[in-house]
């Protein structure tokens, strides 16, 4: 006896792809089930995939996990922890967290309220919650993956049960991400198979349509766009103690798009001279073929030049090197640094040293190029805040880059990417770039809303973009900029542009803090205090506040000053002033892009 297979109507609220999937699902359902019997479907789990993201990396990984879970037949939802409450988590049975650590071990700005509530002593238990955490971080920072670690620890303390153990990912995260997914999916499979086969409820079909689809991005870290460098000029004067460059890349004719507030990712290249020195010190031939994960076969020279990180030492590199040289007496001292009690001495040794120092300090350890390749992390992209507007600088991306140069341990050193710009890339040559969106650092939707921008040094970059974009789009809102550097004579970045905008009224207020132009150093937070009454008045009138620059000192000082101004000018208590600042965040009026 044949059975009539129902079809999803063309006018149903589904995309073409979703309608096709549902029709296929129903066809399979009715081909095996009698008319009067409910269809049995494989066990599936309803899983919430949460992300805590500052720059978008965690969100991108979370989208991949949701896609995988859907393919496995689970009902998966993608949820940002921004604005989410711990109370809502009680309703979840299975939860996955992908959490970035930001600044000095903190949660991303927008996620702090969630974590602060989660840490309240009276918070109820999650004894019915099964969860797993993937922690993202950068091992060059002291508090590596701290937020992910704290989140995992807190959920366990509240009674949650781990589906898979937490994995902490460095900037080269492909391999640990894959390991974590394998353990996670195996754990979920075990949990699903332990549940009885069940009849598919109508709600499962409706729920599937609510999952957000991944956003297609043409040019990514894995597929960057080769953009010619069309302008390179110093923004500082020759007598300055530093060099800051203005760079412009040509993207006309490409499908690369961005908005003011986004970052430009650059795939860097190591210094060829340093690569040659390493090969010489090891007596390795650069033409030796080697295998790289994901990249495949290449020559050793190319691997060291374009794919592997050689300028910074990490604990994992030291561990691998010491293991290779464990039979060598000279490596005993290196091995002794790896015990927990010697962490301080290990950090002192790795600080400002690179692979070449390790090779010179402990020679004759490496004899196989494969061992060298295996111990080195992947060379990670560099992100620079974009200092242009697509509406004002059509077909171009501008960045503002401080060139890093210093002497350490009797060797001249420099930033991998900044010296690539300064010393090894001429105008007309192309570099691989891509866009890293920053949805949480956007201009107000209200064109008449005032904005306050605080960006010392290269933190000026996104605010130059904001100012040009507001002018190009005809925004009428007032603009106030706090900028600081060492000296007005040598380090006043974009001086002529800013003064011209101030003169014609587009830049309503410009407060400058040049720290070394007087005996007592003055910083942007000092200028904020000097203008406390007006600053608070702007906030009361609906101004959005933006901060860009150094996370470890400047951003903390600015935040403390903001609290002090609110407390001083409003007459509120310290706690009430903190609530005021938190309200600015909740209203998306306090944005930070700090690093």
């Amino acid at each position: 006896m044949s059975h009539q297979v129902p079809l999803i109507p063309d006018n149903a609220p589904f995309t073409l792809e979703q309608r096709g999937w549902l029709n296929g699902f129903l066809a399979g359902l009715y081909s095996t089930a009698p008319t009067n019997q409910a269809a049995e479907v494989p066990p599936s789990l309803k899983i919430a995939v949460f992300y805590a993201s500052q720059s978008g990396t965690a969100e991108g990984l979370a989208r991949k996990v949701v896609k995988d879970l859907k393919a496995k037949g689970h009902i998966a939802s993608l949820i940002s922890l921004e604005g989410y409450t711990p109370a809502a988590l009680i309703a979840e049975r299975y939860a996955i967290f992908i959490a970035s650590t930001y600044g000095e071990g903190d949660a991303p700005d927008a996620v702090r309220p969630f974590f602060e509530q989660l840490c309240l002593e009276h918070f109820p238990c999650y004894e019915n919650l099964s969860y797993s955490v993937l922690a993202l971080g950068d091992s060059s920072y002291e508090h590596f993956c701290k937020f992910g670690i704290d989140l995992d620890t807190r959920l366990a303390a509240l009674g949650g049960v781990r589906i898979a153990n937490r994995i902490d990912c460095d900037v080269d995260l492909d391999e640990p991400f894959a390991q974590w997914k394998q353990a996670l999916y195996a754990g979920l499979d075990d949990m699903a198979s332990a549940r009885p086969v069940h009849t598919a409820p109508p709600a499962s079909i409706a729920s599937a349509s609510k999952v957000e689809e991944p956003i297609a991005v043409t040019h990514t870290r894995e597929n960057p766009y080769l953009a010619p460098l069309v302008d390179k000029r110093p923004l500082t004067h020759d007598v300055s103690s530093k060099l800051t460059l203005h760079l412009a890349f040509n993207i006309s004719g490409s499908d690369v798009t961005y908005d003011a507030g986004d970052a430009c990712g650059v795939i860097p290249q190591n210094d060829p001279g340093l690569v040659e020195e390493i090969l010489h010190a090891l007596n390795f031939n650069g033409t030796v073929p080697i295998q790289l994960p994901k990249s495949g076969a290449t020559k050793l020279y190319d691997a060291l030049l374009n794919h592997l990180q050689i300028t910074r030492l990490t604990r994992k590199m030291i561990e691998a090197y010491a293991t290779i040289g464990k039979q060598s007496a000279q490596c005993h001292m290196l091995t002794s640094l790896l015990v927990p009690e010697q962490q301080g001495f290990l950090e002192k040794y790795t600080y400002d040293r690179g692979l070449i120092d390790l090779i010179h300090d402990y020679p004759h350890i490496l004899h196989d190029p494969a061992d060298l390749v295996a111990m080195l992390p992947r060379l990670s992209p560099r992100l620079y805040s974009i200092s242009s507007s697509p509406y004002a600088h059509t077909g171009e991306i501008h960045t503002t880059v401080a060139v890093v140069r210093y002497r350490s341990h009797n060797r001249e050193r420099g930033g991998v990417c900044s010296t690539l710009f300064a010393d090894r890339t001429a105008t007309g040559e192309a570099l691989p770039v891509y866009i890293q969106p920053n949805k949480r650092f956007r201009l107000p939707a209200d064109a008449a809303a005032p904005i306050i921008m605080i960006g010392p040094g290269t933190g000026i970059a996104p605010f130059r973009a904001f100012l040009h974009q507001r002018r190009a789009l005809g925004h009428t809102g007032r603009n106030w900029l706090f900028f600081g550097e060492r000296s007005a004579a040598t380090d006043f970045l974009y001086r002529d542009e800013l003064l011209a905008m101030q003169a014609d009224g587009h830049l309503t207020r410009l407060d400058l803090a040049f720290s070394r132009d007087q005996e007592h150093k003055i910083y942007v937070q000092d200028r904020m205090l000097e203008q406390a009454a007006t600053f608070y008045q702007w906030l009361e009138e609906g101004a959005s506040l933006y901060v860009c620059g150094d996370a470890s000192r400047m951003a903390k000082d600015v935040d403390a000053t903001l609290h002090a101004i609110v407390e001083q000018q409003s007459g509120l208590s310290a706690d009430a002033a903190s609530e005021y600042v938190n309200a600015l965040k909740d209203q998306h009026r306090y944005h930070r892009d700090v690093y």
Side-chain angles (χ1 to χ4, degrees):
M1 178 179 176
S2 62
H3 308 291
Q4 184 69 34
V5 178
L7 294 176
I8 302 298
D10 290 344
N11 62 351
F14 300 110
T15 66
L16 182 63
E17 181 184 14
Q18 290 168 338
R19 194 162 61 246
W21 184 91
L22 289 168
N23 282 329
F25 173 81
L26 291 171
L29 193 78
Y30 275 76
S31 66
T32 58
T35 307
N36 61 350
Q37 183 178 334
E40 290 185 341
V41 296
S44 65
L45 305 177
K46 182 176 180 293
I47 306 167
V49 181
F50 296 94
Y51 62 88
S53 188
Q54 190 76 29
S55 63
T57 301
E59 180 180 355
L61 297 180
R63 287 182 179 277
K64 292 179 181 179
V65 171
V66 166
K67 185 177 181 181
D68 289 349
L69 294 175
K70 288 171 62 181
K72 290 175 176 289
H74 297 299
I75 301 165
S77 53
L78 181 69
I79 306 171
S80 170
L81 283 176
E82 178 180 354
Y84 194 79
T85 63
L89 187 59
I90 297 172
E92 300 294 345
R93 179 68 181 82
Y94 304 95
I96 296 165
F97 297 86
I98 302 180
S100 293
T101 292
Y102 183 54
E104 296 300 308
D106 300 321
D109 281 346
V111 180
R112 289 185 189 180
F114 166 82
F115 191 61
E116 288 168 358
Q117 292 176 43
L118 191 70
C119 290
L120 294 175
E121 289 185 11
H122 64 270
F123 205 81
C125 290
Y126 293 125
E127 57 188 15
N128 293 319
L129 180 71
S130 297
Y131 77 96
S132 184
V133 174
L134 180 73
L136 309 183
D138 184 339
S139 61
S140 64
Y141 287 87
E142 179 182 356
H143 302 291
F144 174 56
C145 286
K146 185 177 185 298
F147 171 57
I149 294 169
D150 290 347
L151 177 62
D152 181 41
T153 303
R154 182 59 179 162
L155 290 171
L158 291 171
V161 177
R162 293 184 180 93
I163 303 168
N165 287 332
R166 186 194 75 249
I167 286 185
D168 301 335
C169 297
D170 208 341
V171 287
D172 187 9
L173 52 75
D174 293 339
E175 185 177 337
F177 179 49
Q179 292 174 352
W180 174 76
K181 284 195 299 180
Q182 183 178 14
L184 172 68
Y185 297 162
L188 289 170
D189 287 344
D190 290 343
M191 290 178 170
S193 62
R195 290 159 58 94
V197 173
H198 59 280
T199 301
S204 66
I205 298 176
S207 298
S209 69
K210 295 178 182 177
V211 179
E212 297 181 41
E213 295 298 324
I215 298 172
V217 179
T218 305
H219 292 289
T220 62
R221 164 179 167 165
E222 287 73 26
N223 180 37
Y225 175 70
L226 277 174
L229 181 66
V230 292
D231 188 19
K232 179 173 76 171
R233 53 187 169 87
L235 295 170
T236 48
H237 292 276
D238 292 341
V239 293
S240 173
S241 56
K242 62 168 76 172
L243 171 63
T244 301
L245 296 174
H246 171 82
L247 306 169
F249 296 95
N250 185 353
I251 57 169
S252 60
S254 77
D255 53 3
V256 176
T257 60
Y258 70 95
D259 199 0
D262 289 342
C264 176
V266 181
I267 311 298
Q269 184 184 77
N270 287 309
D271 181 355
L274 179 59
V275 172
E276 293 284 3
E277 186 179 355
I278 289 169
L279 291 171
H280 179 75
L282 294 170
N283 198 27
F284 284 172
N285 187 332
T287 62
V288 170
I290 54 95
Q291 286 286 332
L292 286 173
K294 295 191 74 174
S295 302
T298 187
K299 306 292 188 196
L300 179 60
Y301 179 84
D302 173 67
L304 294 175
L305 185 69
N306 294 307
H307 300 281
L308 299 173
Q309 192 268 107
I310 61 176
T311 58
R312 194 179 72 215
L313 291 180
T314 66
R315 182 184 184 88
K316 287 184 179 179
M317 289 171 64
I318 299 290
E319 287 174 343
Y321 197 83
T323 300
I324 295 167
K326 61 185 176 183
Q327 303 301 327
S328 172
Q330 63 178 332
C331 261
H332 289 169
M333 183 178 295
L334 194 61
T335 304
S336 70
L337 293 176
L338 296 171
V339 299
E341 296 77 12
Q342 300 298 317
Q343 177 67 24
F345 290 101
L346 176 65
E347 291 176 357
K348 184 176 180 181
Y349 178 74
T350 56
Y351 184 74
D352 276 356
R353 283 187 171 92
L355 175 63
I356 189 65
D357 302 278
L358 188 62
I359 295 169
H360 284 319
D361 292 346
Y362 301 92
H364 313 302
I365 299 299
L366 290 173
H367 302 289
D368 186 345
D371 288 337
L372 172 64
V373 170
M375 68 176 274
L376 295 177
R378 185 180 176 187
L379 183 61
S380 59
R382 271 45 175 182
L383 294 176
Y384 298 97
S385 296
I386 294 175
S387 52
S388 55
S389 161
Y391 300 96
H393 308 95
T394 306
E396 290 189 347
I397 298 173
H398 298 177
T399 60
T400 308
V401 178
V403 180
V404 177
R405 302 187 201 274
Y406 59 99
R407 184 172 181 81
S408 176
H409 307 293
N410 299 314
R411 173 180 289 272
E412 298 297 330
R413 305 173 193 265
V416 171
C417 204
S418 64
T419 58
L420 171 65
F421 293 144
D423 305 334
R424 305 189 297 278
T425 307
T427 53
E429 296 179 340
L431 289 174
V433 305
Y434 65 97
I435 301 302
Q436 180 68 58
N438 190 353
K439 301 173 189 173
R440 294 172 182 80
F441 206 77
R442 291 283 189 259
L443 282 166
D446 181 0
I451 63 173
I452 302 173
M453 302 164 285
I454 303 169
T458 55
I460 185 69
F463 303 138
R464 177 182 186 259
F466 280 6
L467 287 166
H468 279 290
Q469 182 137 320
R470 293 202 105 186
R471 166 164 277 167
L473 295 178
H475 288 193
T476 57
R478 292 169 293 157
N479 306 302
W480 187 354
L481 174 65
F482 289 84
F483 172 72
E485 251 294 357
R486 292 181 178 178
S487 173
T490 57
D491 307 294
F492 192 165
L493 310 184
Y494 299 110
R495 175 183 181 275
D496 293 344
E497 282 186 37
L498 295 177
L499 292 180
M501 289 181 179
Q502 183 186 30
D504 66 22
H506 180 59
L507 182 51
T508 314
R509 294 187 63 108
L510 176 62
D511 281 83
L512 303 168
F514 294 105
S515 60
R516 302 187 181 183
D517 280 356
Q518 59 284 310
E519 185 176 344
H520 174 68
K521 290 187 177 179
I522 296 176
Y523 299 105
V524 286
Q525 60 267 25
D526 299 314
R527 297 302 190 205
M528 290 170 62
L529 277 175
E530 290 174 3
Q531 304 296 330
T534 307
F535 194 101
Y536 181 70
Q537 182 183 350
W538 276 50
L539 293 178
E540 286 288 279
E541 292 169 351
S544 289
L545 176 62
Y546 300 84
V547 182
C548 182
D550 172 58
S552 61
R553 297 184 61 182
M554 182 278 296
K556 288 183 177 180
D557 291 341
V558 165
D559 187 71
T561 303
L562 170 63
H563 282 76
I565 288 173
V566 171
E567 183 178 352
Q568 173 197 109
Q569 295 297 314
S570 67
L572 297 171
S573 66
D575 288 344
S578 292
E579 291 179 8
Y580 183 101
V581 174
N582 287 334
L584 293 178
K585 296 175 183 177
D586 293 340
Q587 297 162 15
H588 304 290
R589 290 174 52 209
Y590 183 13
H591 312 263
R592 304 201 312 166
D593 181 13
V594 298
Y595 36 84

